[in-house]
Amino acid sequence: MRHLHIALWGVLPYLVLVLFLAGSAWRYQYDRFGITTRSSQLHESRLLRVASPMFHIGLLLVIGGHVIGLIVPESLTEALRVPESAYRANALLVGGLAGTAAVAGLSVLIWRRLSTRAVRESSTRSDRALYPVLVTVLVAGLVATLAGSASGDYDYRLGVSIWFRSLFELDPNVDAMRDAPLVFQVHTLTGMALFALWPFSRLVHAFAAPVGYLVRPYVVYRSRRPAPARALDGRPDRA
Amino acid sequence: MARPSLRKKGGAANGRGKAAPRRVMAQVAMVMNLDKCIGCHTCSVTCKQTWTNRPGTEYVWFNNVETRPGQGYPRGYEDQDRWNGGWTLNRRGRLVPRAGGRFRRLSGIFANPDLPELNDYYEPWTYDYATLTDAPLGDDVPTAAPRSLIDGRPTSVEWGPNWDDDLGGGPAHVANDPMLRKIGDGIKLEYEQSFMFYLPRICEHCLNPSCVAACPSGALYKRIEDGIVLVDQDRCRGWRMCVSGCPYKKIYFNHRTGKAEKCTLCYPRIEAGEPTVCSETCVGRLRYLGVILYDPDRVGEAASVEDDRDLYEAQLGCFLDPDDPQVAAAAEASGVPHDWVTAARRSPVHALINKYRVALPLHPEYRTMPMVWYIPPLSPIVDALAETGNDGEDAGNLFGAIESLRIPVSYLAELFTAGDEEPVRASLRKLAAMRAHMRRVNLGEPEDPSIAGSVGMDTDQMRAMYRLLALAKYDERYVIPTAYSGGSFTGHADHGCSLEGPGGPGMMDGDAAGEAFHAPPLVPAPSSAAGEGDGDGPRRVNLLNWNGHGRPAGLFPPRAAGEES
Ligand code: SF4
Ligand code: SF4
């Protein structure tokens, strides 16, 4: 078992990270055309207009919660005198609500994908690989939040979070993960699968989040093509 | 803004009398003479064969021809209360996209609330042709049943890109025309009194494109050199904001590639000085292409004038007169090449819009400053009048008829001038005067300068306009200078085109055997090979030169040196 744990929590994360970075770089370099939301709103709009914002906003909140929960060490919140109970209640409430919204949104989206023929037809192989993983991650995460926080017998900030931070110190704390409850392990493992799939599935569109739009002038002008590489003296016949 | 006035010579409202423009930009623009459109859809079909005969774009018509009155394509696209396309003025009088500013757009990015669904266009279909030949022997004649091109299932065809063509569907469908609803119940839809004309539409390549403004990724852009609005397929991320942002609904979502696509004004042809495919193949020879010079610094101001009805004049005020030496100097200082300035002087589009002022913009009230303009249709007036026993081409009768014509001026005004009837009347009167004038000429009667004078023109202008509109010589319809950029242009073989991604608009479907031969050969041809391209870039096969016999030259890369015929 010891070797398995080392492989899962000590080696695998680095493999996934390399795959994630290299895959994304490859995708950007060789398949920029393929980076798109691949939206199916054209085929079905009614369900999507409810479920998609629910899923996406829920997910963004969840991601924010992970950043706080994994990166901010318990010692810091203690130093700031955030009461443990308040922290937990907040995590349960916001995390629980956001997670529920994401899971509910995703359920509707998947149901829509399966039941609307045109949407089903437009699904790709990577979608079929991605959706089960996404569901497992979200459900396991939600269960961990609700059950874990409610019963209060496992503090992930003293377990999973320590393992996560130890990864970046290049000294993985395998034990912290080995002692974590099963749902946390499942959540972490499928989470890694998600990162591995990321560059190769429609998830890449997250990288395209158009924040630049907020500061850009409305109308974009572009020249027909970039100036020629060679310096010419302005006369085409001398090219 | 310049007051609407008809001057004797040349156009008006070109900003003359103002200081020389700081910057000058050039735009390739189009004018269509609706009088001559016979609604044959040749333009749509050739455009589709060229650009949208790929999976994912089955429902897409960059060029479509609508019967007016009618709902158009997609259905009821002109109803901006519903689709929120184009621009509007906010409370402080500033120009903002009608669907909301940047924050509102981004907050709606997970589901575009204004996106038309496929059913608003139509569900594309094909027929089960195979059953016609494969059906086993039986008592029934085999039929080719319709099948959806979206999900492959048998379907019943209930709407198409042109369902209400020629008033198909009658008053029930026609009454859903958003423009007809605007002018109210004064319009007769009974068959005896009904009217119709055709409105061919492409992307307007607007001066103030709301599609570009709506794109969160910055993938849409207006080309500096010729004003063509394009989608960078490598930067488009499928947010679909442009589709709803364009009030003319001339951006389409390719549901296979997940990218936006739009009319390209056939830019590879324009760059080579050739007219677009729709223009080239137009049976009525009614499309005009040419350069217009404009002052980019006036566009924003012009698009924000308060009253919708002033937008036509305001847009005219952005255009510059290429015959003005100050404008020509400013143009060349701004990097517009000399041959573009001379082309602008000969431009039929400049003549019809600015000099004769017979062409009008389509829906200026959307405030996108469209650059495909239309000459309103006149013919039905003449016919209606002739039936009453009057002389249909006598100037006096014609002018009277315009006030009581069969196609209501109010309807045309809703299309072309945000409801202001005066510019439409002025345009129709000039067309009528031209007919009356030329009839006298053709009958050998002495010219009557008062006819031309009554519409603010002279007899030379009458003849020139007649030549442009009625004779419509190829060389005069299309005055397109070849492309320029940064000094050297050697053709497009040497640089990649962003439209040529897999499944993109520059690519044809590789698995459909019948279409695969449009794809440029992947292997660069050796320079000794037969075919058109004798350079070392990818070769191009021009099937127009193919007589249908044997193998077109250069279609396949040579297998071995001696084998090529
Ligand atoms: S008509 Fe063309 S340029 Fe104008 S907003 Fe629509 S897509 Fe953009
Ligand atoms: S090809 Fe010309 S005449 Fe025919 S429908 Fe198109 S614009 Fe009209």
Side-chain angles (χ1 to χ4, degrees), chain B residues 309-325:
Chain B
R309 297 189 172 190
D310 293 336
L311 281 159
Y312 164 57
E313 280 294 333
Q315 188 166 359
L316 282 180
C318 297
F319 299 150
L320 299 169
D321 180 4
D323 290 314
D324 179 342

Side-chain angles (χ1 to χ4, degrees), chain B residues 118-175:
Chain B
L118 196 60
N119 281 334
D120 293 311
Y121 300 88
Y122 70 105
E123 182 171 358
W125 72 92
T126 181
Y127 293 97
D128 245 342
Y129 294 108
T131 51
L132 296 181
T133 50
D134 297 354
L137 202 58
D139 293 337
D140 304 324
V141 179
T143 56
R147 251 176 208 287
S148 163
L149 276 174
I150 298 296
D151 59 20
R153 270 190 304 188
T155 183
S156 62
V157 180
E158 275 156 14
W159 192 261
N162 243 335
W163 208 251
D164 48 6
D165 203 19
D166 298 347
L167 301 182
H173 279 152
V174 172

Side-chain angles (χ1 to χ4, degrees), chain B residues 11 13 42 47-48 53 81 95 181 212 236 263 286 376 394 398 414 440 506:
Chain B
T42 307
C47 172
K48 190 155 187 59
N53 59 350
D81 291 336
L95 199 62
R181 268 188 263 142
V212 175
C236 172
C263 157
L286 55 89
D394 182 81
L398 266 168
E414 284 302 334
R440 291 182 75 90

Side-chain angles (χ1 to χ4, degrees), chain A residues 9-204:
Chain A
W9 317 119
V11 180
L12 192 59
Y14 294 105
L15 294 181
V16 168
L17 185 68
V18 168
L19 193 61
F20 176 72
L21 293 178
S24 302
W26 166 81
R27 185 85 189 255
Y28 185 76
Q29 197 61 38
Y30 293 105
D31 184 30
R32 228 167 288 178
F33 179 70
I35 303 180
T36 149
T37 58
R38 295 232 348 276
S39 161
S40 55
Q41 191 179 359
L42 191 69
H43 299 309
E44 201 284 340
S45 194
R46 210 171 41 87
L47 289 174
L48 182 107
R49 279 179 57 185
V50 179
S52 172
M54 201 152 98
F55 167 70
H56 280 96
I57 293 170
L59 202 63
L60 287 178
L61 288 174
V62 164
I63 291 170
H66 277 69
V67 171
I68 296 172
L70 290 175
I71 293 176
V72 178
E74 190 147 346
S75 52
L76 186 67
T77 47
E78 266 164 21
L80 291 173
R81 300 188 190 287
V82 180
E84 178 69 13
S85 59
Y87 182 91
R88 282 193 172 231
N90 180 47
L92 181 63
L93 196 69
V94 179
L97 277 179
T100 312
V103 169
L106 185 62
S107 319
V108 178
L109 287 177
I110 291 180
W111 187 76
R112 165 184 178 274
R113 187 158 286 275
L114 294 176
S115 64
T116 314
R117 174 103 182 200
V119 182
R120 195 167 76 214
E121 293 290 313
S122 72
S123 307
T124 59
R125 258 189 312 163
S126 77
D127 291 340
R128 282 194 279 278
L130 176 68
Y131 283 105
V133 177
L134 204 52
V135 170
T136 323
V137 179
L138 282 177
V139 170
L142 191 61
V143 169
T145 307
L146 297 181
S149 295
S151 62
D153 50 13
Y154 178 73
D155 186 355
Y156 65 86
R157 303 180 76 206
L158 299 177
V160 180
S161 300
I162 288 178
W163 164 77
F164 184 78
R165 286 198 297 275
S166 73
L167 288 176
F168 295 95
E169 290 155 15
L170 299 182
D171 180 18
N173 188 338
V174 174
D175 293 341
M177 212 47 222
R178 191 192 55 202
D179 300 334
L182 187 66
V183 283
F184 281 92
Q185 291 181 340
V186 170
H187 179 69
T188 310
L189 212 53
T190 44
M192 285 195 272
L194 206 59
F195 277 99
L197 278 173
W198 197 296
F200 312 103
S201 67
R202 66 194 312 158
L203 290 183
V204 273

Side-chain angles (χ1 to χ4, degrees), chain A residues 28 31-46 48-50 52-53 56-57 60 117-118 121-122 205-206 208-228 230 232 234-236 239, chain B residues 25 59 97 101-103 105-106 109-113 115-118 150-151 153 208 212-216 218 220-225 232-240 253 255 257-259 271 483-489 495 502 504:
Chain A
Y28 185 76
D31 184 30
R32 228 167 288 178
F33 179 70
I35 303 180
T36 149
T37 58
R38 295 232 348 276
S39 161
S40 55
Q41 191 179 359
L42 191 69
H43 299 309
E44 201 284 340
S45 194
R46 210 171 41 87
L48 182 107
R49 279 179 57 185
V50 179
S52 172
H56 280 96
I57 293 170
L60 287 178
R117 174 103 182 200
E121 293 290 313
S122 72
H205 79 264
V211 277
Y213 184 52
L214 292 175
V215 293
R216 179 199 97 192
Y218 271 128
V219 176
V220 178
Y221 288 94
R222 257 167 79 176
S223 186
R224 204 166 66 78
R225 64 169 177 154
R230 281 169 301 156
L232 304 173
R235 303 241 338 243
Chain B
M25 282 175 82
Y59 76 102
R102 299 181 173 86
F103 277 102
R105 292 262 175 172
L106 282 197
I109 200 159
F110 301 127
N112 183 343
L115 192 76
E117 279 190 61
L118 196 60
I150 298 296
D151 59 20
R153 270 190 304 188
N208 183 33
V212 175
C215 174
L220 273 148
Y221 60 96
K222 189 169 179 66
R223 290 214 302 197
I224 293 170
E225 290 86 354
D232 182 337
Q233 292 287 307
D234 275 351
R235 285 180 81 173
C236 172
R237 297 288 173 257
W239 302 121
R240 323 175 285 298
F253 188 72
H255 59 84
T257 61
K259 304 262 168 169
E271 285 172 1
Y484 65 98
S485 82
S488 94
F489 178 69
H495 61 280

Side-chain angles (χ1 to χ4, degrees), chain B residues 203-206 209-211 229 246-248 250-251 262:
Chain B
C203 162
E204 299 277 345
H205 297 277
C206 308
S210 56
C211 57
V229 176
C246 169
Y248 302 91
K250 277 296 170 189
I251 302 216
K262 68 180 289 298

Side-chain angles (χ1 to χ4, degrees), chain B residues 332-505:
Chain B
E332 292 187 33
S334 311
V336 178
H338 182 68
D339 59 331
W340 278 61
V341 177
T342 43
R345 288 188 190 130
R346 289 173 45 230
S347 164
V349 172
H350 168 63
L352 295 169
I353 292 178
N354 294 320
K355 277 197 213 150
Y356 309 139
R357 300 190 78 183
V358 286
L360 302 168
L362 180 65
H363 292 305
E365 71 273 21
Y366 299 158
R367 296 177 184 272
T368 61
M369 307 265 117
M371 288 304 280
V372 174
W373 288 37
Y374 294 88
I375 301 175
L378 179 68
S379 305
I381 310 163
V382 180
D383 292 348
L385 198 71
E387 277 163 24
T388 62
N390 287 311
D391 184 345
E393 292 196 336
D394 182 81
N397 283 345
L398 266 168
F399 288 176
I402 286 167
E403 308 306 325
S404 62
L405 34 77
R406 183 140 171 171
I407 299 182
V409 172
S410 56
Y411 186 80
L412 294 173
E414 284 302 334
L415 285 182
F416 299 122
T417 48
D420 183 2
E421 297 180 11
E422 209 28 63
V424 179
R425 279 212 192 91
S427 167
L428 292 175
R429 268 194 221 116
K430 284 180 192 166
L431 298 174
M434 182 185 80
R435 289 192 179 206
H437 178 85
M438 288 314 296
R439 188 179 76 145
R440 291 182 75 90
V441 171
N442 286 337
L443 292 180
E445 294 171 14
E447 287 191 0
D448 178 359
S450 71
I451 297 179
S454 66
V455 292
M457 296 172 77
D458 59 31
T459 50
D460 289 344
Q461 284 185 319
M462 279 288 148
R463 275 178 186 269
M465 188 162 91
Y466 163 78
R467 186 178 167 85
L468 196 54
L469 291 181
L471 303 186
K473 299 285 187 198
Y474 188 94
D475 290 349
E476 294 167 27
R477 264 181 291 146
Y478 312 127
V479 180
I480 310 163
T482 47
Y484 65 98
S485 82
S488 94
F489 178 69
T490 51
H492 27 227
D494 57 336
H495 61 280
C497 154
S498 74
L499 295 175
E500 286 173 359

Side-chain angles (χ1 to χ4, degrees), chain B residues 32 36-44 46 63-65 198-201 278-279 281-287:
Chain B
M32 300 194 212
K36 294 166 103 182
C37 181
I38 58 170
C40 65
H41 301 277
T42 307
C43 46
S44 307
T46 50
N63 182 108
N64 75 297
V65 183
Y198 301 105
L199 180 71
R201 292 200 306 124
C278 55
S279 308
T281 59
C282 174
V283 171
R285 303 195 302 169
L286 55 89
R287 297 188 184 221

